[in-house]
Amino acid sequence: MECGTFLLLQSPGGQDHAEVFARATEMTQAADRLGFDSVWCAEHHFSTYGYLSRPLMFSQHLAAQTERIRVGSAVVVLPLHHPLVVAEEIATADLLSGGRLDVGLGRGYQKYEFERLGHTLDESRERFDESVDILLKAFEGKPFAHEGKYYCFDETSIFPMPVQRPHPPFWMVGQSPESIVATAKRGFNLISGGFGIPIERLAEFRQTFDRAVPDPAQRDSIRVSTQRPVYVTHDESELPDIVEQARWNMRVTLSLRQGLARVEHGRAVAIPFDEEPSVEDLLDRYFVVGTPDTCIAKIKQLREVMGIDHFNANFWFGDLSQRQILKSMNLFAEEVLPLMKSGEI
């Protein structure tokens, strides 16, 4: 199983902006040295929930600062951008990274972001589907025109073209049955999971995916990844505080997803919601947090439930210090990652 790490670039307290980006770069360089396969950059706008507005731009920077690790987006929120510009950015990032780019695409979920960019969530699925069609045409390598509901343009060519042909691997986020079916029909790789999604929901996602792709050979050609908050430690006295740091991300994610976002002077506010899971429940059903043995067992469970061949570890959440994050990454690389590489997990 391959393993990547995920960068949201969040800061509950409004940390110095240059420091946030420097920390993400240092984490990526550490992941490159430690043997992680990939690093993934989120796209968010207008709050301290995520400082990164252009994940493909940052992916180019990370590629230049590393030796071999693959870089990518998780995700480009496609309905917020003109697809021709996205196609150019993908090709440029792939070229400058030397063909180390993976491209995660999503339709977005934050009303707060969409409204400020003049869009509505109601049309995001249609915009997303039309934009994907345009991307695929763009990477055929020949002039093309398009006349659709949201985009119309005369004959157009994309320069440059990507190193990986016809395009870098495409991954789509699936957090609903509709999105998972759409991903399967496209034949794109699937990313699911994240904050606020319990393991039994992931099992339902897998069942939806299997129904959408009944042919085993076709299923095997589509990669499946899930993302979880990860913290590895031999000191279990750390766990209550670690869970609360992850709970901050979960609260903000769910409030933004449900249109209940509170952003005060640019700072995202973590809103408690009704019937929140207990610490024990979060450790059992939501997070990969604990001793190396505990984390190994959780990843095994995810593989059994979700059928994943890629795991995305989110080491940086809440207001964890850089020291804590790097210590957790190193311990993961020492005691968990080798079992993933050998197929024992």
Side-chain angles (χ1 to χ4, degrees), residues 92-204:
T92 302
D94 193 50
L95 181 68
L96 294 179
S97 70
R100 284 194 274 151
L101 186 70
D102 285 278
V103 180
L105 303 170
R107 66 184 183 91
Y109 63 88
Q110 293 191 19
K111 181 180 179 184
Y112 184 86
E113 295 177 335
F114 271 67
E115 288 179 343
R116 281 151 184 79
L117 290 169
H119 295 288
T120 67
L121 278 172
D122 292 342
E123 63 185 31
S124 65
R125 188 177 296 281
E126 287 184 337
R127 276 189 179 273
F128 179 86
D129 290 339
E130 187 174 338
S131 293
V132 170
D133 290 339
I134 292 170
L135 290 182
L136 294 175
K137 288 180 183 177
F139 294 130
E140 289 178 0
K142 55 188 178 183
F144 71 104
H146 179 83
E147 185 172 348
K149 181 175 180 179
Y150 297 102
Y151 305 103
C152 296
F153 48 85
D154 295 331
E155 184 178 288
T156 303
S157 298
I158 296 298
F159 298 101
M161 291 300 290
V163 174
Q164 300 176 90
R165 302 303 302 269
H167 53 74
F170 279 173
W171 300 70
M172 282 174 58
V173 168
Q175 304 287 44
S176 68
E178 295 81 6
S179 294
I180 290 169
V181 170
T183 302
K185 288 182 176 179
R186 291 275 190 187
F188 293 167
N189 301 319
L190 172 66
I191 308 173
S192 195
F195 290 96
I197 299 178
I199 192 164
E200 62 269 19
R201 184 71 170 144
L202 292 178
E204 294 172 7

Side-chain angles (χ1 to χ4, degrees), residues 254-270:
L254 292 175
S255 65
L256 289 167
R257 190 176 296 280
Q258 296 167 11
L260 304 173
R262 277 180 56 198
V263 178
E264 298 175 355
H265 303 290
R267 292 193 179 188
V269 178

Side-chain angles (χ1 to χ4, degrees), residues 221-243:
S221 70
I222 299 174
R223 304 196 62 196
V224 178
S225 176
T226 195
Q227 182 173 294
R228 286 316 222 198
V230 175
Y231 190 84
V232 193
T233 180
H234 286 300
D235 182 2
E236 295 190 75
S237 69
E238 290 188 88
L239 299 187
D241 178 63
I242 297 302
V243 168

